[in-house]
Amino acid sequence: MILMTALTETAEKIKNMEIRGAGKIARSAAEAMKEEALSIKTKDIKEFNRRMEDAYNILYSTRPTAVSLPNALRAVMRYKADTVEDAKTAIAANADAFISGSENAVKKIGEIGAHRIKDGDTIMTHCNSSAAFAIFETAYRQGKDINVIATETRPRQQGYVTVDFLQKSGIPTTLILDSAVRYTMKKVDLVIVGADAVTVNGSLVNKVGTSQVALAANEARVGFVCAAETYKFSPRTLFGEMVEIEERDPTEVLCNELRAKWPNLKISNPAFDITPHKYIDMIITEIGAISPEMAYWVIKDKLGWELEEAAEASM
Ligand code: RUB
């Protein structure tokens, strides 16, 4: 029997999507690492380091696509200490810095992104992104008359979470089916979505269906903007690695009763897809609005990753 600790509880919640969205996953993982470090009783630094490595691996293996998770875990684990006491202090400070940095980044994205929104705009979004929501909320608070069209986002209906946020903030909202995206695009002025990962060539990994929204926006000549904190940029892609697309349980797509009725039916349930950089007009980060082509610079200069380091992390 596996003993449930605060850390395994957080890991379970990330797996079953009680905790979801790349930013929230990263902040919760950082907090769980801090709590784990503070709860370890040993005075032996080697034993402490080993247990922190275990904690890292448990959280790392929860969901594979959002790069914010490994980036957060690595930020927390960037410590060198001879004593357990010093290690705990460093880990707690790293976790707190990551969490407040992440919250400030979302706020800053809201401020920068709101400049892109004009009074009277209709904006389409897909899934539920706190970074995208920060933009809507800031623009609305500035007194801009906006209407947000939210897709339902099958199969987990994250669109309902978006609708709930928007309605609670008083922002005029329209809910549409995912299949109504192209039909509805003619009423849209701008698309804003979040990110689970941005690759070194500026492509976007986000909730499955995002690339279809981008295609429809491109066809209708509607601007397509991504809101992403810089810790969503993927260092491993600098080394040529692909971002893994999570394949989730088939029961999310079809209930057990119907699966039993068609025992030979195969079900594919990818949770994310890739939007090529050529469909993205702009990525709004906390360090400014950048073109997708600047992703290499963000990974190298802002996140400080070199090719050797990316290679090491991929081992
Ligand atoms: C969530 C999703 C969101 C990004 C960004 O997918 O695709 O657009 O994670 O979110 P899931 P945020 O529901 O499968 O986690 O801007 O909040 O970090």
Side-chain angles (χ1 to χ4, degrees), residues 56-231:
Y56 177 105
N57 290 328
I58 289 171
L59 289 167
Y60 184 88
S61 61
T62 49
R63 292 191 75 188
T65 303
V67 75
S68 53
L69 175 61
N71 279 353
L73 294 174
R74 270 187 226 112
V76 173
M77 289 293 271
R78 224 166 269 142
Y79 71 92
K80 276 201 172 67
D82 295 328
T83 67
V84 170
E85 249 355 89
D86 286 353
K88 284 186 178 182
T89 308
I91 288 172
N94 286 348
D96 289 346
F98 180 85
I99 293 166
S100 62
S102 160
E103 286 165 351
N104 287 337
V106 172
K107 204 165 152 249
K108 193 83 200 153
I109 287 171
E111 287 160 13
I112 297 170
H115 289 129
R116 305 298 307 179
I117 295 181
K118 297 186 299 302
D119 192 38
D121 270 358
T122 293
I123 308 134
M124 184 183 282
T125 192
H126 183 55
C127 193
N128 172 253
S129 155
S130 34
F133 178 72
I135 298 178
F136 308 144
E137 203 188 25
T138 310
Y140 186 69
R141 280 222 209 104
Q142 288 169 347
K144 290 174 188 164
D145 174 21
I146 59 169
N147 172 38
V148 178
I149 299 179
T151 56
E152 182 189 21
T153 320
R154 270 272 292 160
R156 298 290 298 243
Q157 279 99 4
Q158 288 93 331
Y160 296 174
V161 183
T162 298
V163 164
D164 192 51
F165 280 10
L166 291 162
Q167 288 290 285
K168 280 183 179 145
S169 302
I171 301 173
T173 317
T174 308
L175 178 69
I176 60 165
L177 293 175
D178 301 321
S179 44
V181 162
R182 186 166 178 247
Y183 174 78
T184 312
M185 194 56 81
K186 49 183 168 293
K187 298 181 193 144
V188 173
D189 300 294
L190 189 65
V191 173
I192 305 181
V193 296
D196 275 81
V198 179
T199 67
V200 71
N201 71 347
S203 294
L204 164 67
V205 184
N206 194 49
K207 179 54 55 195
V208 70
T210 301
S211 65
Q212 284 178 182
V213 177
L215 262 183
N218 185 265
E219 180 192 49
R221 297 180 191 279
V222 169
F224 183 95
V225 168
C226 163
E229 304 89 305
T230 50
Y231 59 78

Side-chain angles (χ1 to χ4, degrees), residues 163-309:
V163 164
D164 192 51
F165 280 10
L166 291 162
Q167 288 290 285
K168 280 183 179 145
S169 302
I171 301 173
T173 317
T174 308
L175 178 69
I176 60 165
L177 293 175
D178 301 321
S179 44
V181 162
R182 186 166 178 247
Y183 174 78
T184 312
M185 194 56 81
K186 49 183 168 293
K187 298 181 193 144
V188 173
D189 300 294
L190 189 65
V191 173
I192 305 181
V193 296
D196 275 81
V198 179
T199 67
V200 71
N201 71 347
S203 294
L204 164 67
V205 184
N206 194 49
K207 179 54 55 195
V208 70
T210 301
S211 65
Q212 284 178 182
V213 177
L215 262 183
N218 185 265
E219 180 192 49
R221 297 180 191 279
V222 169
F224 183 95
V225 168
C226 163
E229 304 89 305
T230 50
Y231 59 78
K232 309 257 181 83
F233 286 65
S234 169
R236 284 177 166 203
T237 59
L238 181 64
F239 187 57
E241 274 194 41
M242 310 280 273
V243 173
E244 184 183 338
I245 300 294
E246 178 182 12
E247 183 70 31
R248 291 192 62 88
D249 200 287
T251 50
E252 289 186 344
V253 177
L254 202 65
C255 64
N256 280 331
E257 200 186 321
L258 285 176
R259 289 187 67 207
K261 186 173 167 192
W262 304 308
N264 295 324
L265 178 71
K266 293 191 189 98
I267 294 170
S268 168
N269 184 18
F272 301 96
D273 68 14
I274 298 152
T275 302
H277 57 89
K278 66 175 178 182
Y279 296 112
I280 303 164
D281 293 292
M282 184 176 287
I283 304 177
I284 312 255
T285 75
E286 74 277 16
I287 55 168
I290 61 170
S291 69
E293 287 75 19
M294 281 177 76
Y296 169 76
W297 175 84
V298 171
I299 293 169
K300 203 172 163 296
D301 289 358
K302 163 72 183 149
L303 301 182
W305 280 78
E306 296 296 341
L307 210 51
E308 296 72 33
E309 220 180 328

